[in-house]
Amino acid sequence: MNLKHLNLAPAEVDHIIEARWLATVVKDVPFLEHYSVMVRNDTIIDLLPTEQARAQYTSADRVSLDGHILMPGLINLHTHAAMNLMRGIADDLPLMQWLNQHIWPAERAVVSYDYVKDASLHACAEMLSGGTTCFNDMYFFPQATAAAVNQSGMRANLGLLVSEFANSYATDADDCLQKGFEAHDSWRGNLMISSSMAPHAPYTVSNRSFEKIITYAEQLSIGIHTHLHETRDEISQSETEFGARPIRRLAALGLLGPNFTAAHGVHLLPSEIDMLREHGCHIAHCPSSNLKLGSGIAPVSLLLKNNVNVGIGTDGAASNNRLDMFAEMRLAALLAKGASEDPASLPAHQALEMATVNAAKALGLDDRIGTIEVGKQADLVAVKLDELTISPCYDPVSHLVYTCGREHVTHTWVAGELRYSNGLYANIEPLELKEIIKKWQPKLKQHKQ
């Protein structure tokens, strides 16, 4: 039978998104022109040239984006969402002074389940409007963050925070672990939320606690997410207390491995980069936070040349002061070029990979998100490229990284659902965000430097 002569009716799908360009972030496919993405339920079921798609598929929800590029949702590989309401309370200070004299006192005063839920929802709104569909978080009261994630419709990997110090969340590291397990159990079966063990940093976690964390991460089959080599002071402190640099201490304890993500990695020796590669570890590069806190510039070019997987994060808004992945992509690329004195270092397509598929790999989610491919979740972002102030466009991927800002994001889909469109959220009301700010700003203002 010759199927060419059959008059087959177009197949029905839930959503069809037609775009001028498609940045799939699939290896050796820079971008596609005049392509459509077909979505059924939460999954991409086909990618076709738009004219062909119109003949083969129909949908009650067809979005035509003639001047846009469609790309995978951005993945923020390191942040503290609930610090969103702390932006600007302590600026222009080095890390330990910033923490000890301002951030930790502010947290002692306000951090609670309600605060974390409210502040995290505020962060989710900021991220969705800027094209971020998934974030890797580390903070107190992760169940509160989970409630905000569920309301917003985002995707998140939530850290089960561990620290030795008593606070409003837990009395000590063991209490942190117990509360973390309860949180992890509370979102079992939720396909939008995953977990990682989140020891805060080598300077706040003991060897005994790290050993427990390794065991529990293996038992639960989840990753480990921590701060590492963010400042020179951190390294000096470790050498004094433990007789070793932090990464060597963690290596001796057995933490390094393919499930290990280190935030920052600013001060790494070549031999330590070799260790990261040999153990299959991941780095969450946070360029804006590292610069603002005066911590330094991470050796990203050297990490990438040595095949260490590097993603991009914003860190929290208290040290950034934005959760803006477009700004981080651009800055990451420019810093790498300047530090290496090589303009070919970290080209635009690689910066985009760091903010999408590389981050997905670090979270163990690259089989589901990070690229636009058939069978993957429909986490998609539309960016308007034909505005006069950023025209003309010759290379849409280069334009994404070097020219566009988060203000050019028009649509954000997560798991096939439109969660943000032209200033409006599916599940977050602007009035709710205003009430959150009104509620918490007076309580935090007294801690402003």
Side-chain angles (χ1 to χ4, degrees):
M1 182 182 295
N2 189 345
L3 295 179
K4 290 183 179 180
H5 298 293
L6 289 177
N7 186 20
L8 298 177
E12 180 76 22
V13 293
D14 295 322
H15 314 285
I16 298 175
I17 307 168
E18 303 175 346
R20 173 66 176 82
W21 295 282
L22 196 64
T24 64
V25 198
V26 174
K27 189 174 177 60
D28 300 324
V29 183
F31 59 88
L32 301 170
E33 296 190 70
H34 300 293
Y35 252 69
S36 293
V37 178
M38 273 59 68
V39 178
R40 184 173 290 136
N41 295 322
D42 57 3
T43 304
I44 298 169
I45 67 160
D46 209 349
L47 307 172
L48 288 173
T50 293
E51 289 304 315
Q52 187 177 345
R54 288 175 177 172
Q56 294 187 22
Y57 292 96
T58 185
S59 175
D61 179 36
R62 183 190 300 271
V63 180
S64 184
L65 303 168
D66 294 334
H68 295 65
I69 185 168
L70 194 67
M71 67 176 187
L74 296 167
I75 302 170
N76 188 342
L77 191 55
H78 176 70
T79 194
H80 313 284
M83 299 184 84
N84 232 47
L85 299 183
M86 297 180 187
R87 77 175 89 231
I89 68 169
D91 291 328
D92 308 321
L93 298 169
L95 175 65
M96 296 316 298
Q97 182 181 348
W98 177 78
L99 284 172
N100 284 310
Q101 297 181 21
H102 300 280
I103 298 304
W104 286 342
E107 288 179 331
R108 284 193 290 270
V110 304
V111 169
S112 62
Y113 181 97
D114 288 343
Y115 169 81
V116 172
K117 181 179 181 296
D118 285 350
S120 296
L121 186 66
H122 188 273
C124 288
E126 180 178 358
M127 286 189 276
L128 281 172
S129 66
T132 296
T133 55
C134 177
F135 64 99
N136 186 30
D137 201 61
M138 177 195 292
Y139 209 67
F140 312 102
F141 297 98
Q143 284 169 300
T145 309
V149 169
N150 287 333
Q151 178 178 339
S152 70
M154 287 190 74
R155 193 185 302 274
N157 183 81
L158 302 182
L160 312 180
L161 182 73
V162 180
S163 172
E164 304 295 336
F165 303 109
N167 51 60
S168 61
Y169 172 59
T171 57
D172 57 20
D174 288 335
D175 193 22
C176 283
L177 288 167
Q178 183 58 43
K179 286 183 166 63
F181 301 146
E182 293 169 3
H184 174 77
D185 289 342
S186 74
W187 56 68
R188 282 184 184 275
N190 186 335
L191 297 179
M192 303 299 286
I193 299 179
S194 54
S195 307
S196 64
M197 299 302 302
H200 171 258
Y203 54 87
T204 57
V205 178
S206 69
N207 285 354
R208 172 181 172 273
S209 295
F210 272 127
E211 289 166 352
K212 289 185 176 183
I213 285 163
I214 295 168
T215 300
Y216 293 134
E218 291 175 351
Q219 290 177 349
L220 296 173
S221 297
I222 60 177
I224 298 173
H225 172 206
T226 191
H227 298 90
L228 185 67
H229 285 222
E230 184 175 1
T231 67
R232 295 189 190 279
D233 285 346
E234 171 196 340
I235 295 168
S236 297
Q237 179 183 331
S238 179
E239 290 175 325
T240 299
E241 185 174 353
F242 298 100
R245 290 164 65 89
I247 190 171
R248 294 196 177 277
R249 174 186 163 215
L250 299 192
L253 291 169
L255 261 82
L256 304 190
N259 69 333
F260 181 82
T261 297
H264 303 296
V266 174
H267 302 286
L268 292 166
L269 302 174
S271 60
E272 293 166 343
I273 292 175
D274 289 341
M275 291 172 61
L276 292 170
R277 182 193 67 246
E278 290 164 3
H279 287 89
C281 302
H282 315 275
I283 290 288
H285 177 39
C286 304
S288 292
S289 180
N290 294 337
L291 290 179
K292 185 168 180 286
L293 292 170
S295 300
I297 300 172
V300 170
S301 295
L302 192 57
L303 285 160
L304 294 171
K305 285 179 181 177
N306 282 273
N307 297 314
V308 176
N309 184 54
V310 181
I312 293 177
T314 61
D315 211 344
S319 66
N320 183 309
N321 301 38
R322 298 152 64 96
L323 305 186
D324 183 349
M325 287 292 289
F326 281 88
E328 301 304 317
M329 282 195 292
R330 185 175 192 271
L331 185 56
L334 297 183
L335 277 177
K337 298 174 195 304
S340 65
E341 299 184 30
D342 177 7
S345 179
L346 192 48
H349 73 87
Q350 197 168 25
L352 183 59
E353 288 171 0
M354 289 167 63
T356 53
V357 68
N358 287 15
K361 181 179 178 182
L363 297 178
L365 296 174
D366 51 319
D367 61 333
R368 298 172 60 196
I369 59 174
T371 59
I372 301 178
E373 295 183 80
V374 172
K376 286 202 173 181
Q377 295 271 284
D379 289 12
L380 305 166
V381 173
V383 183
K384 188 173 177 58
L385 299 190
D386 62 355
E387 288 191 7
L388 290 177
T389 55
I390 60 168
S391 296
C393 174
Y394 300 105
D395 179 336
V397 173
S398 173
H399 225 62
L400 273 178
V401 173
Y402 296 129
T403 307
C404 291
R406 62 181 179 180
E407 66 272 16
H408 299 113
V409 171
T410 59
H411 301 70
T412 302
W413 291 265
V414 187
E417 296 294 327
L418 185 61
R419 299 302 185 184
Y420 171 82
S421 176
N422 293 301
L424 299 176
Y425 300 94
N427 303 313
I428 305 172
E429 292 294 334
L431 182 60
E432 182 177 9
L433 299 178
K434 290 179 181 178
E435 289 300 317
I436 285 171
I437 295 165
K438 182 179 178 181
K439 176 181 178 181
W440 294 106
Q441 186 176 12
K443 298 177 183 181
L444 284 161
K445 190 175 182 180
Q446 62 185 305
H447 296 281
K448 189 179 186 314
Q449 68 186 86

